[in-house]
Amino acid sequence: YNNLFPSLVMGYHNKLWSHSLSLSSRITRPTFRQLNNNSYYNGGYSYQLGNPSLKPAIDYSAQWQSSYRFVNLSLAYEYDKNITLNNMYESADEPQVIISTYDNFNHINYLRFNLNVQKKIDLWNPVLSVGLSQPFFKTTFLGKEINHNKAKFYVSADQYVTLPAKYNFEINYYYCTGGNLGIITIKPYQELNLSLTKSFINDRLDVSLEATDLFHKLSYREDGYYTNIHLMQTEGCQ
């Protein structure tokens, strides 16, 4: 058999420290939608179709996790072979028509780092998370090789406060520097949310008052370099 995907996990624990090392491999097969070669027209100048020749993607990963009391640390390396991503190109017969499809790319590598700190202090429960994802990926745009190696760094700070009379107050803040997600480059974005929740009927009913994206900074700005198409797109509020 040549389709075996073994995994290995080793761990060590004592009263304060916990460590684990995991090695894994897995296969991700294309979906029917990705393989289906029927055409779906989005208008007079673009359409989408699948790719019946897609190969399964193989993923190999190694992850180290360590925790000390309320601090958790994770380091990981990932190698994805034959990764399937969305791709675009101009039609050979009609250059003004854009075709959106799926293609296999040789491989993409990731280095990931995550740190999580959570400690409850009386009625206050703060949670802080920071993370870094560094991709290593190359494609061809207009016949030239380009890199998609921009790292993504994020900070998430959440504050949970338990108030009298079964009120719960939350402040959630998230900031991301953007970075590469496959072919696409995401621009920086951030978000600040507030919520106040009250429980009734012996905790069977929760009523919430929420305010999301208070400063209107949650805007996804994408920049993609496909085979011969440069696509810029903005989603959300400015």
Side-chain angles (χ1 to χ4, degrees), residues 94-166:
E94 302 174 279
Q96 75 277 13
V97 176
I98 296 175
I99 300 174
S100 176
T101 186
Y102 304 93
D103 282 325
N104 283 124
F105 293 84
N106 186 270
H107 72 276
I108 183 171
N109 299 345
Y110 285 101
L111 286 174
R112 304 185 194 274
F113 164 83
N114 289 280
L115 176 66
N116 179 270
V117 180
Q118 179 176 359
K119 182 174 176 60
K120 188 173 183 180
I121 306 171
D122 294 330
L123 303 179
W124 177 40
N125 186 13
V127 181
L128 175 67
S129 299
V130 295
L132 177 70
S133 178
Q134 172 64 66
F136 300 94
F137 185 44
K138 295 180 180 181
T139 61
T140 301
F141 174 69
L142 295 177
K144 296 182 180 179
E145 187 177 75
I146 60 173
N147 295 319
H148 306 276
N149 299 340
K150 186 177 180 181
K152 166 190 169 183
F153 175 78
Y154 77 88
V155 177
S156 176
D158 301 326
Q159 312 292 323
Y160 304 92
V161 182
T162 303
L163 302 175
K166 295 187 177 181

Side-chain angles (χ1 to χ4, degrees), residues 1 27 40 67 75 104 106 136 139 160 170 202 222 228:
Y1 296 95
I27 185 170
Y40 300 91
S67 63
L75 299 171
N104 283 124
N106 186 270
F136 300 94
T139 61
Y160 304 92
E170 297 181 18
N202 295 323
E222 304 171 0
N228 54 10

Side-chain angles (χ1 to χ4, degrees), residues 166 199-205:
K166 295 187 177 181
S199 296
F200 299 93
I201 317 175
N202 295 323
D203 297 332
R204 294 192 182 117
L205 174 65

